[in-house]
Amino acid sequence: VQLQASGGGLVQPGGSLRLSCGASGFIFEDYAIGWSRQAPGKEREGVSCISRINGAKYTNSVRGRFTISRDSTKNQVYLQMNDLKPEDTAVYYCARSDRYCRTVPGTREYDYWGQGTLVTVSS
């Protein structure tokens, strides 16, 4: 099982970024994929998750600004992040869950993690 996150970078407040997560080594359609993040000095927190069974879920702080999607033809999951705020600064990780997303994405439901990609929101 491999997960590869990419797309991070430096962006000004109010800007946008799209993160990508490439998956391999398992049947992509059978699993939910989620994003978590860890800001400096803070615990890792769940951000979003997408499942073929129960759709997309978001944590409250990003709902309406972030959109998660998946492309099964490419085994990719994307996180479109709009209206970014300084508090969104963190290392973002993608990870594999079981078939379902939790109503509120967390961090304990995942069994495989990719390496992180750094998102910095600063003027």
Side-chain angles (χ1 to χ4, degrees):
V1 174
Q2 288 193 332
L3 297 158
Q4 181 82 23
S6 61
L10 174 63
V11 62
Q12 292 186 344
S16 298
L17 278 176
R18 188 178 82 154
L19 305 183
S20 299
C21 177
S24 62
F26 61 98
I27 301 174
F28 185 72
E29 284 296 303
D30 287 352
Y31 292 88
I33 304 293
W35 290 92
S36 300
R37 65 187 180 186
Q38 188 164 18
K42 295 188 177 181
E43 292 187 356
R44 193 173 297 190
E45 64 172 350
V47 174
S48 183
C49 177
I50 189 165
S51 163
R52 189 172 61 88
I53 305 299
N54 64 340
K57 310 295 181 186
Y58 301 93
T59 193
N60 285 341
S61 62
V62 308
R63 187 175 292 112
R65 300 188 297 121
F66 291 11
T67 302
I68 192 170
S69 61
R70 61 193 292 161
D71 184 343
S72 296
T73 66
K74 298 180 180 179
N75 282 12
Q76 293 271 344
V77 172
Y78 306 102
L79 186 68
Q80 178 66 43
M81 306 186 295
N82 298 330
D83 189 23
L84 282 161
K85 306 176 186 298
E87 52 264 40
D88 295 317
T89 294
V91 177
Y92 284 71
Y93 301 88
C94 61
R96 190 188 79 168
S97 182
D98 54 26
R99 295 168 65 86
Y100 299 89
C101 291
R102 304 300 185 265
T103 300
V104 178
T107 58
R108 296 184 179 184
E109 59 265 38
Y110 301 109
D111 58 357
Y112 286 93
W113 293 80
Q115 93 296 347
T117 185
L118 176 62
V119 173
T120 303
V121 185
S122 175
S123 56

